[in-house]
Amino acid sequence: MKILICPDAASARTAAAQVLKRQIVKKPASVLGLATGRTMEAIYKLLVTEHRESNLDFSSVTTFNLDEYIGLDAANEQSYHYYMQEHLFSKVNVSPNSTHVPNGAASDVDAEAKNYEAAIARAGGIDLQLLGLGQNGHIGFNEPLSSLNCRTRAITLAQTTLEQNAEMFGGNPDSVPSRAITMGTATILESHMALMVVTGPSKAQIAAQMIEGPVTATVPGSALQYHPSCLVILDKDAASALVAREAIDWQMKHDPELMALMDCL
C-alpha cells in the first residue's frame, strides 16, 4: 500500500484525477471501477474539464459502478445511476453501452448481482478501482462483518451508513433505502489497481484503522492491505491520526509514482 498525504482536500482530488487520467491515456480501453459521493463529484468535475480542455478520450472506456440502492430505478434522482449520468457520463464521450451500474429495480436482485459479477469478469476485470471510505470502514457497501471473500451481492446497510447518506434523502435516515447491491470485497481486491481517496477530519480515525490496524471484517477497507497495487490519497486532516508518518513521509519523498503526483499539485 502506498500513501500520499496532500495539503488539503482540493489537492487530494487533483491527485486522484491525475491517476485516473494517466490510466486512460496509458490504456484507452481501460475498465474503470467507479464510486459516488461528494469527494467523487469533485474528481469527476476535474475529469470532465480534462475531457473538454485537453481532449481526454473516454470513447473506449468501460465503467462499472460499485453499488446501487435496491428499490431505486435509473430515473430516480437519488439513485447512483442518476448520479453518474449527472456528474460524468452525460458530460464525456463514453458510450452508454459501456457504462454499468447495478439495477436496483431488478425483480430478482440476487440474479442481478450474479450477472453483474459475471459482466465484470467478461470485461477482463477492473483495471483501476476508485474507492471512498465509509465512516464505519466500508468500501462499496461492504459493511462491517462482511466476509473479506464476498462477491457482488445484495446487502442490508448499517445504521451508520443510513445516517451518513441521509443528506441526499432530505436529512432523514429513514428515507434512505435499507438495502443495496454492491461489488464484493473480493471483487474489489481483484482490481489491477485500487485508488482510495479519503478527506476530512471525520475520517481520520477510521483511515488510520484501515491503513495501520489489523486486517479485519469489522473494518472492511483494511482488506486493501492485501491488495498488490493500492494507492491511498488523503488530505492532511484525514491523515492526522496516522502513526507511521516517518515511514510515509520517506516513501513520499523517494517513491517515483508519489513524487510524480506531488509535482502535479
Side-chain angles (χ1 to χ4, degrees):
M1 182 180 287
K2 295 183 180 182
I3 312 297
L4 178 66
I5 300 173
C6 298
D8 50 39
S11 56
R13 295 189 291 261
T14 296
Q18 285 298 312
V19 174
L20 287 158
K21 175 185 176 181
R22 291 174 184 181
Q23 174 65 38
I24 295 169
V25 170
K26 178 182 178 181
K27 183 181 178 182
S30 288
V31 179
L32 302 180
L34 300 180
T36 55
R38 287 185 294 274
T39 296
M40 305 308 163
E41 286 179 29
I43 293 171
Y44 296 147
K45 186 176 182 179
L46 291 168
L47 290 177
V48 170
T49 299
E50 289 285 354
H51 169 69
R52 291 175 175 171
E53 298 182 0
S54 302
N55 297 314
L56 182 62
D57 185 12
F58 288 78
S59 63
S60 298
V61 168
T62 298
T63 71
F64 287 90
N65 263 71
L66 281 167
D67 40 37
E68 178 61 283
Y69 291 111
I70 291 174
L72 302 188
D73 62 27
N76 190 297
E77 292 185 8
Q78 276 74 45
S79 73
Y80 288 150
H81 191 111
Y82 189 95
Y83 170 103
M84 292 306 304
Q85 290 293 333
E86 183 76 8
H87 294 290
L88 183 64
F89 296 159
S90 67
K91 294 177 169 59
V92 297
N93 64 329
V94 65
S95 168
N97 294 330
S98 298
T99 63
H100 304 82
V101 182
N103 179 8
S107 58
D108 186 338
V109 294
D110 292 328
E112 170 66 14
K114 183 177 180 179
N115 292 338
Y116 199 75
E117 181 82 20
I120 294 171
R122 286 195 301 272
I126 305 292
D127 288 309
L128 191 159
Q129 178 65 62
L130 179 62
L131 297 163
L133 182 66
Q135 296 280 7
N136 62 4
H138 70 223
I139 49 175
F141 272 138
N142 295 286
E143 300 285 24
L145 301 182
S146 295
S147 167
L148 300 185
N149 199 38
C150 61
R151 294 290 178 175
T152 303
R153 70 208 185 284
I155 189 169
T156 298
L157 302 181
Q159 181 65 30
T160 53
T161 298
L162 301 182
E163 293 169 356
Q164 182 180 345
N165 293 358
E167 182 181 342
M168 302 301 295
F169 291 83
N172 183 6
D174 293 336
S175 297
V176 183
S178 61
R179 302 183 73 224
I181 299 172
T182 184
M183 277 191 207
T185 305
T187 312
I188 293 169
L189 290 179
E190 286 181 354
S191 60
H192 299 163
M193 178 181 178
L195 171 64
M196 175 176 277
V197 187
V198 191
T199 60
S202 66
K203 298 289 183 72
Q205 292 298 325
I206 196 64
Q209 291 178 52
M210 186 272 295
I211 294 168
E212 299 177 333
V215 176
T216 171
T218 59
V219 183
S222 65
L224 291 171
Q225 293 180 34
Y226 288 138
H227 199 291
S229 180
C230 177
L231 171 62
V232 181
I233 299 177
L234 310 100
D235 68 359
K236 182 173 63 175
D237 289 337
S240 62
L242 291 172
V243 174
R245 285 300 298 269
E246 183 176 352
I248 293 169
D249 290 344
W250 175 269
Q251 185 186 57
M252 287 172 54
K253 292 177 181 177
H254 295 86
D255 182 279
E257 179 186 10
L258 300 181
M259 293 166 64
L261 285 174
M262 291 297 292
D263 287 342
C264 297
L265 304 181

